[in-house]
Amino acid sequence: MIPVRRRGLLGGGLAVAGLLPLSRFARAQEDQVNIYNWDTYIGSDTLAEFTDATGISVRYDLYASSDELFGKLREGNPGYDVIFPSNNYVERMVAGDMLMPLDHALVPNLKNIAPAFANPSYDPGLKYGAPYTYSLLVIGYRRSAVAEPPTSWAAVFGPDAPVGRVSLPNETDLVRVALKSLGKSLNTEDPADLKAAEELLLEVKRRGVVKMFAPDTGQDLLLSGEVDIAVDWMGDLRQVMAEDDDLNFVVPSEGTVLGIDCMCIPKGAPHPAAAHAFIDFVLRPEVHAAIAEEIQYAIPNQPAVELLPAETRDDPQVYPPADVLAKSEVPAYRGEAAEKLFEDVLTRVLAA
Amino acid sequence: MRNPIGPLEFTRRGWVRLWLLAVFVFLYAPIVILIAFSFNQSRRNIVWTGFTTDWYGRALNNASLIEAFTNSIMIALISTVLSVILGGLLALGLYRFRFPGKPVLDGVAALPIVIPEICLGVALLVFYARVGWPVGLPWPLNLSQVIIGHVVFSFPFVAVVVRARMEGFDRSLEEASKDLGASEWQTFWNVTLPYMKTGLIAGALLAMTLSLDDFVITFFTSGPETITFPVKIYSMVRQSVTPEVNAASTILILFTVLLTVIALKFQKPSEGVG
Amino acid sequence: MENWRRQPWVFATFIGPGTLWLLLFFLLPLGWIWLFAVGEREGPVDIVVTWTLENYREALQPVYLQLFLKTFLIALVSTAICLVVAFPVALAICFAPERYKNVLLLLVILPFWTNMLIRTYAMIAMLRQNGFVNDGIGLLWTGLKYLLTPIGMDGLMGERFAPLPLLYNNTAVVLGIVYVYLPFMVLPLYANLEKLDRSLIEASLDLGASQVRTFFEIIVRLARPGIVSGIILVFIPALGTFLISDLLGGPDSQLIGNVVERQFRAANNLPLGAALSFLLLYLTFLALALRAWFAARAEKADA
């Protein structure tokens, strides 16, 4: 066996030989923080306010999906201080020894995190990440195009689903919601359950229900009238609902996927102190509330939520009631072999 | 009276003109729509809600967008020049010489075209990380990782085009030049190069296009300080295509058209391509 | 063609830089991926080389082979359409008056200096059910129906206009590939046709051959190297397409590029992704090396 080490043969040879300066290490003063986030995922004034409050300047870069983030960091951190991975990637990155534990003493505002999110299964005790937003994978629909508003996954997977008018996600979450619709846990590893989910999806596809397996564009398909039902994230659907009154969504009665995006510090971050300061700043109630107002995502920050206008705070389509949340599950990461079971089902469904 | 259409004046034949028109409509219709939507009030490029020029202000004030844009142009220029030199030389060598292992080199030189971009992207990511490629150099040296990647997948395209061009070359011209006392270099400069020119220009256009448009390989080879336009656009677009992106693209289109017009003005009509 | 020994230094100048670049920045990085293909994952990041053939075995499963075949067919059709569309364009540019040549050439390439993703989104806006193309056809339909009503023939046209499904199917994927790769066909054809000896065409026409016959027997034959390189530059990259099928394709438009992409990213299964990539690589390498070998043999026979 030849182990392929992460730093191989020439391991930093050029740098060690002093041929070329390695300013990643030279630039140690913490007057800067490099943030790597999704697009449209922060308040337009947040960064400027942070610089005003702390004197730390911000470099802000964008990625489009958690797997891009992971791919970019897998061979080592190219210089980022704060990243925003989803819960399953937090677990994956912890397993891959890619995250730095948070120093809770430097993030006193972690106390603001609501109890329901303060000790999550993917990151017990919030050791590695501060929860930033959460969202549910729900059923969006066009009111005028459906006979009656959907209430459960039957609207998508049942016999009455409209032919050629549905868009589904092209990720393993598709397999998870299929499991949910069958009344199973979405974290099952039972081959029989996965087989049943696969058959359900293949059958739905055979009937011609699916217009498209969309790469995170379900909300656009719904808005443009290309489909009448789209399975997508709550926050995305709320953005298009603001443009078209005829659109709505429902949290399926069987429950669904709960996704939590977190603020984490990758190992090798050049400015860890500034990174902690940034995370603590975002968790300030007034800052987190302002972000939530702008990006329209639900936040797990108790005092911040209380600062929100009552119509937002009490809107079940922004802050789902506790009983609805309780039926939903956070996908767990149980190693690559378990992930592969889901991937294989997805491959067979998409390729069929 | 108009002259009758000569046998080789294809551009004056009705069906050729119609064909050209159809192809240009096909090529430009999406561009026209893209420009139109840059004036749309809605955040999404789906429903027309009203006219505005706000997105242009936002795009021009977006410092990181401008930075990405500058990086892209710089990378495209350098990688095009390198690709043309490397591709042109390789094509000439393959055309001119017989040597052991030639079919292998022929095949290997075409591999960057066939390899899935993501595979090359990850390969370069792994490569740079494991040889300890220096990061954080001053601009534009910090673009080296991206430029090297772009040259790897661009220069085989140049080589293929130039090689095809050379197939019809009459080697006796070179012999004649040398018989008349010209050196190897003089022969290359005065005989071979002028013949290659069209192939080199076509190859350069392809290399430029590849570099300006590449997302996957750039994504895996760029760091926090070396974002390019496509990488920026890609991250902005996957969430929702805002008209800001359209506005930025429109500015880019105007910029290239302007450069092109200036370049054409400075070129004497007799010096056509080729 | 001359033997390299006659002028080793000239030979080295020509072949050296490109070969070195390929070795250092292509084959060496690819070496790691090649090792991944015979490795196993140990945790989410580390890959241990165990010389297993399991990944190749998995990559040869029917589900992937079927995708290889579908990808091959789609790439083939797209390349053929590209060739048919591009040839008259390249020809027209070559025979255009000198002052228009550059302008036409730039007009062809200009759209491609706009980001491909944005162009594809604009194409979606154009082709979707309530897009401009369907709206246009719908308008024509309504007008025609209005005209036909007085003569009682409106029944021919059905009750109401049903938008054409122009997106989210394999046709849309082919259209998208043709759009993206068109300049990769036009430019090599142009570079090759441009040096065409016009006296040959004139001679053919003078000797009484028809335009059509001249086209196929003189122009196409002389342009063969250009056609071959155009096909290589369109067909081969089209095999790896994933973005176009992702955005324009329907539920059955998965291509091998999509699977490779997912293995490298969301699935985090680099060994399988590597094995699939290398299968694609081996096949192409074989085809190209065979072509070169045949060419070399033909040359030897000529000499």
Side-chain angles (χ1 to χ4, degrees):
Chain A
M1 289 212 316
I2 302 172
V4 175
R5 278 175 301 146
R6 290 181 61 197
R7 294 271 165 197
L9 309 166
L10 298 170
L14 287 176
V16 173
L19 291 174
L20 293 154
L22 238 187
S23 66
R24 189 203 292 177
F25 301 116
R27 214 176 31 206
Q29 76 276 23
E30 303 225 340
D31 53 358
Q32 194 188 346
V33 59
N34 296 336
I35 295 173
Y36 203 29
N37 194 2
W38 309 68
D39 191 29
T40 61
Y41 215 41
I42 199 152
S44 24
D45 302 325
T46 314
L47 304 179
E49 285 168 7
F50 173 69
T51 304
D52 285 347
T54 60
I56 300 172
S57 67
V58 179
R59 248 208 94 86
Y60 192 70
D61 273 328
L62 304 168
Y63 58 88
S65 65
S66 282
D67 54 75
E68 277 180 9
L69 169 70
F70 183 82
K72 188 94 171 197
L73 294 175
R74 66 174 298 136
E75 288 296 323
N77 180 358
Y80 295 110
D81 298 307
V82 181
I83 55 175
F84 291 71
S86 310
N87 47 283
N88 46 345
Y89 275 89
V90 174
E91 274 184 287
R92 194 175 236 170
M93 292 173 110
V94 170
D97 195 23
M98 294 159 77
L99 295 182
M100 189 186 276
L102 290 182
D103 184 344
H104 283 224
L106 295 175
V107 195
N109 284 327
L110 265 180
K111 67 174 189 303
N112 295 340
I113 297 298
F117 296 91
N119 195 21
S121 55
Y122 64 87
D123 181 20
L126 301 181
K127 193 169 169 217
Y128 291 97
Y132 179 61
T133 61
Y134 63 94
S135 192
L136 294 171
L137 199 55
V138 296
I139 305 175
Y141 60 95
R142 184 169 284 280
R143 291 177 220 251
S144 58
V146 293
E148 52 192 271
T151 55
S152 72
W153 286 116
V156 179
F157 300 122
D160 297 330
V163 170
R165 306 295 301 163
V166 176
S167 92
L168 295 174
N170 71 350
E171 302 165 325
T172 45
D173 283 337
L174 176 63
V175 184
R176 299 203 172 89
V177 296
L179 283 167
K180 265 307 201 196
S181 85
L182 292 168
K184 311 285 184 198
S185 162
L186 54 74
N187 285 320
T188 180
E189 281 173 64
D190 183 346
D193 289 348
L194 283 165
K195 189 82 202 144
E198 180 177 338
E199 259 149 33
L200 176 69
L201 289 170
L202 285 174
E203 198 254 331
V204 170
K205 187 175 171 181
R206 226 177 354 254
R207 279 210 318 269
V209 167
V210 188
K211 171 93 171 183
M212 192 191 180
F213 293 102
D216 206 8
T217 51
Q219 78 276 23
D220 285 336
L221 294 172
L222 193 62
L223 180 63
S224 63
E226 208 67 51
V227 297
D228 298 327
I229 293 181
V231 174
D232 207 334
W233 293 97
M234 208 165 75
D236 290 341
L237 287 166
R238 280 181 53 77
Q239 288 183 4
V240 290
M241 280 163 62
E243 304 233 341
D244 188 343
D245 290 339
D246 199 20
L247 302 181
N248 198 4
F249 74 78
V250 64
V251 184
S253 55
E254 300 96 332
T256 181
V257 179
L258 169 60
I260 301 167
D261 288 340
C262 304
M263 294 181 278
C264 298
I265 306 176
K267 277 232 164 107
H271 318 104
H276 280 96
F278 181 80
I279 294 174
D280 192 56
F281 179 79
V282 168
L283 290 178
R284 286 186 195 177
E286 67 283 4
V287 175
H288 213 168
I291 294 173
E293 271 293 86
E294 188 165 338
I295 68 173
Q296 305 247 327
Y297 270 77
I299 50 171
N301 185 327
Q302 193 83 50
V305 171
E306 276 153 26
L307 291 177
L308 293 174
E311 70 264 25
T312 310
R313 204 172 50 209
D314 301 333
D315 186 347
Q317 287 199 318
V318 190
Y319 290 94
D323 59 316
V324 174
L325 273 184
K327 276 192 227 150
S328 297
E329 291 176 85
V330 180
Y333 169 82
R334 295 214 199 86
E336 297 297 325
E339 291 290 304
K340 192 165 185 325
L341 296 176
F342 283 81
E343 282 297 338
D344 286 348
V345 172
L346 183 69
T347 302
R348 285 193 292 266
V349 169
L350 293 182
Chain B
M1 204 189 94
R2 291 185 58 183
N3 297 326
I5 298 174
L8 295 182
E9 290 185 276
F10 287 102
T11 22
R12 283 182 58 195
R13 283 177 196 282
W15 75 268
V16 174
R17 287 191 172 180
L18 215 63
W19 192 271
L20 271 183
L21 186 75
V23 170
F24 281 128
V25 167
F26 174 60
L27 290 183
Y28 280 89
I31 308 286
V32 171
I33 288 171
L34 178 165
I35 295 176
F37 269 119
S38 68
F39 296 105
N40 188 6
Q41 269 172 4
S42 162
R43 261 182 63 79
R44 278 157 199 278
N45 292 334
I46 292 169
V47 200
W48 180 267
T49 53
F51 182 89
T52 177
T53 52
D54 289 353
W55 301 109
Y56 283 87
R58 284 184 62 163
L60 287 172
N61 282 324
N62 189 335
S64 62
L65 205 61
I66 305 283
E67 188 193 326
F69 180 77
T70 328
N71 281 341
S72 267
I73 301 272
M74 192 73 192
I75 291 169
L77 288 178
I78 299 179
S79 91
T80 303
V81 170
L82 285 175
S83 299
V84 167
I85 295 173
L86 287 176
L89 284 176
L90 188 68
L92 267 187
L94 284 170
Y95 159 77
R96 188 165 151 183
F97 291 100
R98 194 170 55 238
F99 55 95
K102 184 171 165 178
V104 176
L105 183 58
D106 233 344
V108 169
L111 287 187
I113 303 177
V114 56
I115 191 155
E117 279 181 287
I118 180 92
C119 186
L120 183 54
V122 172
L124 286 169
L125 176 86
V126 173
F127 167 75
Y128 288 134
R130 295 188 185 182
V131 301
W133 197 266
V135 294
L137 301 175
W139 194 87
L141 283 179
N142 59 359
L143 303 175
S144 61
Q145 290 174 307
V146 182
I147 291 172
I148 286 172
H150 282 201
V151 174
V152 165
F153 68 77
S154 303
F155 92 86
F157 279 83
V158 180
V160 168
V161 177
V162 173
R163 188 116 182 262
R165 167 86 188 173
M166 292 309 292
E167 298 272 313
F169 182 57
D170 189 355
R171 287 287 318 272
S172 56
L173 289 175
E174 284 183 349
E175 310 284 332
S177 160
K178 279 184 226 165
D179 286 348
L180 292 171
S183 69
E184 185 73 43
W185 171 251
Q186 284 168 322
T187 305
F188 172 75
W189 191 255
N190 294 319
V191 180
T192 321
L193 197 62
Y195 185 82
M196 287 169 76
K197 207 171 124 195
T198 313
L200 289 177
I201 288 174
L205 288 174
L206 283 182
M208 181 98 173
T209 310
L210 284 166
S211 172
L212 275 180
D213 214 16
D214 177 72
F215 162 71
V216 179
I217 290 161
T218 315
F219 178 83
F220 283 106
T221 49
S222 62
E225 323 227 318
T226 55
I227 296 299
T228 68
F229 196 64
V231 172
K232 182 84 188 160
I233 293 282
Y234 199 85
S235 66
M236 291 170 79
V237 125
R238 278 314 269 266
Q239 295 295 307
S240 63
V241 200
T242 64
E244 188 182 346
V245 175
N246 290 29
S249 307
T250 308
I251 296 171
L252 184 68
I253 293 170
L254 287 178
F255 186 74
T256 36
V257 169
L258 202 71
L259 275 185
T260 312
V261 169
I262 293 171
L264 285 177
K265 271 259 182 307
F266 277 100
Q267 194 179 34
K268 283 188 223 106
S270 57
E271 284 182 89
V273 174
Chain C
M1 211 168 291
E2 55 194 276
N3 197 309
W4 71 280
R5 280 173 219 273
R6 266 182 57 196
Q7 288 170 300
W9 283 109
V10 180
F11 171 73
T13 320
F14 283 153
I15 297 287
T19 311
L20 208 65
W21 198 278
L22 278 174
L23 273 177
L24 210 59
F25 299 124
F26 181 69
L27 290 180
L28 184 63
L30 217 57
W32 270 292
I33 305 292
W34 186 81
L35 286 177
F36 286 172
V38 290
E40 282 170 56
R41 287 183 290 170
E42 223 171 51
V45 177
D46 295 309
I47 294 164
V48 183
V49 177
T50 56
W51 303 107
T52 172
L53 290 177
E54 185 56 29
N55 301 306
Y56 283 109
R57 204 190 56 77
E58 191 177 352
L60 286 169
Q61 276 179 358
V63 61
Y64 297 113
L65 290 182
Q66 174 207 331
L67 285 177
F68 269 113
L69 187 67
K70 192 202 280 175
T71 308
F72 183 83
L73 290 177
I74 288 206
L76 202 66
V77 173
S78 311
T79 311
I81 297 178
C82 258
L83 181 60
V84 172
V85 172
F87 208 97
V89 176
L91 205 60
I93 298 177
C94 287
F95 289 98
E98 205 60 44
R99 63 182 181 281
Y100 293 136
K101 265 190 192 177
N102 287 340
V103 179
L104 283 172
L105 204 58
L106 281 163
L107 275 178
V108 168
I109 201 82
L110 204 65
F112 299 90
W113 290 352
T114 314
N115 187 269
M116 175 191 148
L117 199 65
I118 305 175
R119 265 185 291 131
T120 311
Y121 271 100
M123 209 150 129
I124 293 175
M126 211 168 84
L127 295 177
R128 64 169 170 250
Q129 277 187 15
N130 305 320
F132 301 99
V133 171
N134 262 320
D135 284 356
I137 299 174
L139 219 62
L140 278 179
W141 187 90
T142 319
L144 198 60
K145 184 159 172 130
Y146 182 74
L147 285 178
L148 287 177
T149 308
I151 51 170
M153 284 176 69
D154 55 313
L156 281 178
M157 301 186 53
E159 252 337 286
R160 53 187 281 264
F161 172 68
L164 302 173
L166 298 171
L167 278 182
Y168 311 123
N169 49 47
N170 289 336
T171 319
V173 175
V174 170
L175 195 72
I177 296 178
V178 170
Y179 188 92
V180 169
Y181 291 109
L182 198 61
F184 294 79
M185 187 62 92
V186 174
L187 287 172
L189 284 178
Y190 165 75
N192 223 253
L193 284 170
E194 209 266 340
K195 57 143 197 237
L196 207 98
D197 189 348
R198 289 166 196 220
S199 57
L200 287 175
I201 305 173
E202 275 158 1
S204 164
L205 291 171
D206 286 349
L207 291 172
S210 67
Q211 287 272 353
V212 176
R213 192 157 164 216
T214 306
F215 177 78
F216 281 104
E217 294 198 356
I218 308 289
I219 301 182
V220 171
R221 185 164 295 184
L222 288 175
R224 233 183 55 188
I227 296 175
V228 171
S229 65
I231 290 176
I232 291 176
L233 294 191
V234 174
F235 180 74
I236 294 180
L239 287 176
T241 301
F242 68 92
L243 202 59
I244 298 167
S245 43
D246 226 13
L247 292 171
L248 302 178
D252 60 348
S253 300
Q254 279 275 299
L255 301 180
I256 199 69
N258 297 83
V259 178
V260 171
E261 173 82 0
R262 211 174 44 248
Q263 300 314 316
F264 274 107
R265 289 177 36 177
N268 192 28
N269 192 347
L270 266 56
L272 179 58
L276 285 166
S277 302
F278 273 93
L279 275 186
L280 201 63
L281 228 60
Y282 296 147
L283 288 175
T284 322
F285 183 78
L286 201 70
L288 290 172
L290 274 180
R291 191 176 81 92
W293 186 71
F294 276 119
R297 217 177 56 161
E299 238 163 56
K300 226 175 238 171
D302 283 349

